[in-house]
Amino acid sequence: MARPRKARSAAVLSLVWLTAFAPAVSAGEASSRPTIEALESSLQRRSTSGDVVRFDGESLQSFAVASRPAATVGDAGPIVRALDIADGQEPFDAQGTVSVARLGTFPVTALLKADRWYGFENCPPRTIAGRNARCARVVPKDPHRLGYTLWVDAEQDALLGFVIHETSGATLEYVQFSRVIVDLTERPLSNTPDVQTTIAVAQEVPRWTPDGFVLQSNERSDREHVMRFSDGVAGFSIFVTPVADSATTTGESRWGASAIVDRIVRGGDGRDFLVTLAGEIPMATARRILLGVQPSF
Amino acid sequence: MTEQLKESLSAVLDDAADAFELRRVLDETSRNDSLRETFERYQLVKSVLRRESSAQTLRDRVSLQRRVRESLDVAIPDIPNEEVVEPMATPPSASKTRWPLGIGAAAVVLVAASVLYWGSSGSTPESAAPGIVAIPPVETQVVANRARARDVDGSGRSETVDAAVVRRHERYLTFHHRFGTDQQPDAGKVAEPTPAAGTDR
């Protein structure tokens, strides 16, 4: 009994120090592509359920994850239920649920196709929810994408957790099982886009987007224009809305891995527009994209 | 806190303490406020990881957040909000709407969660470290123009509070996520009302 307790005490001291001072973990040496390929296969053959802990940079939240019944086979994602109550008032909204659902729907196939934009590196294994996990680091090849660390079950190849990193290596979002059940089940993967597919070019497409992000959706009404871009792994949406008053307050915020930036921009016709970008990209990239949007209704 | 007491505390949290250790921890926590607070934090995070979401746990969690917020509020000088910040003039990493609760609570809870997690899994720090060592508490950034701001720590970093912007951003984010960042467009989803209907000032 004594030795594990001493180990725990050492872990306590190490973690306090590491959490405060240590830099991002250095990259591994070999490619983690085989681990990610195994995960791709596993997502079709296995489902995971249990309890999940999520840290979004502000708070620690817990969720219950259940496998989706076969009757709703059209949607491959798991059922996620938030267990926490934010500030004792409201149940957590969709933001955390979307993140946790990625444990069952991570766009692995798209990730493997997007190796022009992402590199794959090994990292040291660890234990998650009492199971041995291999580590695969997904490193963006330019500063306009976020990075990922994936924890894959060493025996069943199921996704046990992931971390989303800022380009600096800082953690934006952390999701992992604290208790997990891995089931053998045939279920379809969610659709992933062909990143080479573009649709009709929108008039207001930003003058600049990072390489690899292509227009996936272009919806226009008389009160809003919404464009969505994706590199297959991450995506962002741009909303263009006419506003009556240029004094509308704008700002920037980050919600876990998601960045939101909005600006008031004067269109060519002299009207003012609220232009908002929301997506899982670095804040600096979001700002730069937004600078190139010229509204015109 | 002595090493022996740490081990006893660890044993109690793992439900592995004998009667002597349990009595020792209870005696110490009744005399030592700092130890009692540590014990409460550890218990709280342990309950989160074990999915114990009773009303008492939730009250404890809110209470913990409130205490952290209060302790941080004391440390921040009360400077009048007079400065007007334009977005491009503000350092990118500057402002945080939810800073007091966010950084403090995140640091406390994450460290405690890490302790409990590895304590219960029995893994060594070397094998466990990679997932956590790169997790400094992350700032939530909000920089708003025409918003009241204050210099939080004298370094030129400013804090802005504009709840309307945060609420609007949350709606946009929900709509963005509803579409799915990594999935094909779904006409049924994009047909739903967009955040434009409720643009805040």
Side-chain angles (χ1 to χ4, degrees):
Chain A
M1 289 297 289
R3 193 190 60 77
R5 289 184 200 170
K6 286 186 182 299
R8 278 195 291 273
S9 297
V12 170
L13 298 174
S14 299
L15 285 165
V16 169
W17 183 88
L18 289 168
T19 304
F21 302 111
V25 182
S26 59
E29 295 177 354
S31 169
S32 62
R33 191 176 182 95
T35 297
I36 298 173
E37 288 173 342
L39 173 61
E40 180 189 28
S41 174
S42 170
L43 283 175
Q44 292 175 299
R45 292 180 290 108
R46 303 189 191 286
S47 65
T48 48
S49 58
D51 302 331
V52 172
V53 175
R54 172 180 180 254
F55 174 62
D56 65 356
E58 179 167 356
S59 60
L60 193 69
Q61 305 155 12
S62 58
F63 295 82
V65 177
S67 300
R68 189 169 292 277
T72 56
V73 71
D75 187 345
I79 297 171
V80 180
R81 183 168 61 89
L83 298 176
D84 277 351
I85 302 296
D87 285 331
Q89 300 295 323
E90 300 289 336
F92 278 117
D93 57 27
Q95 322 302 342
T97 305
V98 168
S99 298
V100 173
R102 276 202 157 196
L103 284 169
T105 61
F106 203 91
V108 183
T109 302
L111 180 63
L112 291 167
K113 288 179 181 174
D115 56 2
R116 182 177 174 190
W117 318 112
Y118 297 92
F120 308 118
E121 298 176 351
N122 275 328
C123 34
R126 57 166 286 193
T127 303
I128 288 185
R131 303 176 72 98
N132 294 325
R134 296 196 302 272
C135 178
R137 183 154 297 135
V138 179
V139 183
K141 294 182 178 178
D142 63 34
H144 305 303
R145 269 160 268 262
L146 303 178
Y148 304 85
T149 299
L150 308 177
W151 303 101
V152 181
D153 188 285
E155 294 180 1
Q156 308 279 3
D157 296 321
L159 186 60
L160 300 180
F162 62 84
V163 182
I164 304 179
H165 303 277
E166 179 60 275
T167 48
S168 65
T171 295
L172 296 172
E173 202 165 320
Y174 182 99
V175 178
Q176 74 156 74
F177 277 103
S178 58
R179 181 182 68 84
V180 64
I181 300 169
V182 182
D183 292 321
L184 183 62
T185 176
E186 291 292 338
R187 62 187 184 89
L189 277 175
S190 59
N191 290 330
T192 53
D194 180 347
V195 296
Q196 298 303 318
T197 300
T198 59
I199 63 173
V201 176
Q203 195 173 3
E204 294 157 335
V205 161
R207 286 193 293 271
W208 177 85
T209 54
D211 286 346
F213 281 93
V214 296
L215 187 63
Q216 298 286 323
S217 168
N218 180 22
E219 302 288 328
R220 181 189 285 270
S221 70
D222 57 355
R223 62 186 176 86
E224 189 160 52
H225 183 192
V226 184
M227 294 167 280
R228 295 183 172 87
F229 295 80
S230 173
D231 69 350
V233 180
F236 61 87
S237 304
I238 297 176
F239 305 84
V240 181
T241 310
V243 291
D245 188 352
S246 61
T248 298
T249 302
T250 60
E252 303 176 354
S253 61
R254 179 166 280 292
W255 307 65
S258 301
I260 304 187
V261 183
D262 56 16
R263 300 275 189 266
I264 298 295
V265 179
R266 184 147 294 175
D269 58 0
R271 286 193 297 163
D272 290 325
F273 296 85
L274 177 66
V275 182
T276 303
L277 185 151
E280 290 65 50
I281 56 177
M283 185 66 81
T285 301
R287 290 192 195 105
R288 184 174 170 188
I289 294 169
L290 214 55
L291 285 174
V293 178
Q294 184 61 44
S296 60
F297 261 66
Chain B
M1 193 187 310
T2 65
E3 285 297 317
Q4 196 171 12
L5 192 55
K6 285 179 184 173
E7 290 191 8
S8 295
L9 181 59
S10 173
V12 170
L13 289 167
D14 288 346
D15 299 325
D18 56 30
F20 174 77
E21 286 178 309
L22 182 59
R23 189 165 59 247
R24 174 188 171 82
V25 169
L26 291 176
D27 287 346
E28 284 293 331
T29 52
S30 66
R31 290 194 298 265
N32 186 329
D33 288 344
S34 173
L35 178 63
R36 187 170 63 250
E37 289 179 7
T38 301
F39 185 75
E40 288 172 356
R41 285 200 302 271
Y42 286 10
Q43 284 281 36
L44 182 55
V45 176
K46 181 181 178 183
S47 70
V48 171
L49 295 179
R50 288 188 173 182
R51 210 192 72 175
E52 295 169 3
S53 56
S54 66
Q56 182 59 45
T57 301
L58 294 173
R59 279 196 296 273
D60 289 347
R61 204 171 304 162
V62 172
S63 172
L64 168 66
Q65 291 176 343
R66 188 173 297 120
R67 291 202 305 275
V68 171
R69 192 199 316 246
E70 287 169 356
S71 66
L72 287 169
D73 282 345
V74 170
I76 298 173
D78 185 18
I79 299 173
N81 297 340
E82 294 177 350
E83 183 184 354
V84 175
V85 177
E86 295 297 331
M88 299 309 291
T90 306
S93 62
S95 307
K96 310 162 282 282
T97 291
R98 296 174 287 177
W99 182 88
L101 174 62
I103 301 301
V108 169
V109 173
L110 185 64
V111 169
S114 305
V115 169
L116 285 172
Y117 175 75
W118 281 300
S120 60
S121 67
S123 59
T124 65
E126 288 74 22
S127 66
I132 286 292
V133 294
I135 306 181
V138 180
E139 298 178 358
T140 297
Q141 305 170 349
V142 175
V143 183
N145 61 3
R146 300 181 182 84
R148 311 295 280 180
R150 62 178 178 174
D151 191 345
V152 175
D153 56 8
S155 65
R157 293 153 54 91
S158 59
E159 178 181 352
T160 61
V161 179
D162 193 317
V165 173
V166 173
R167 285 198 301 272
R168 187 180 68 229
H169 283 188
E170 188 169 17
R171 289 201 300 273
Y172 274 109
L173 186 58
T174 298
F175 191 74
H176 164 69
H177 280 162
R178 209 173 281 166
F179 166 76
T181 59
D182 54 339
Q183 297 183 4
Q184 291 284 14
D186 180 331
K189 293 179 180 177
V190 298
E192 296 179 25
T194 67
T199 300
D200 286 320
R201 287 281 310 274

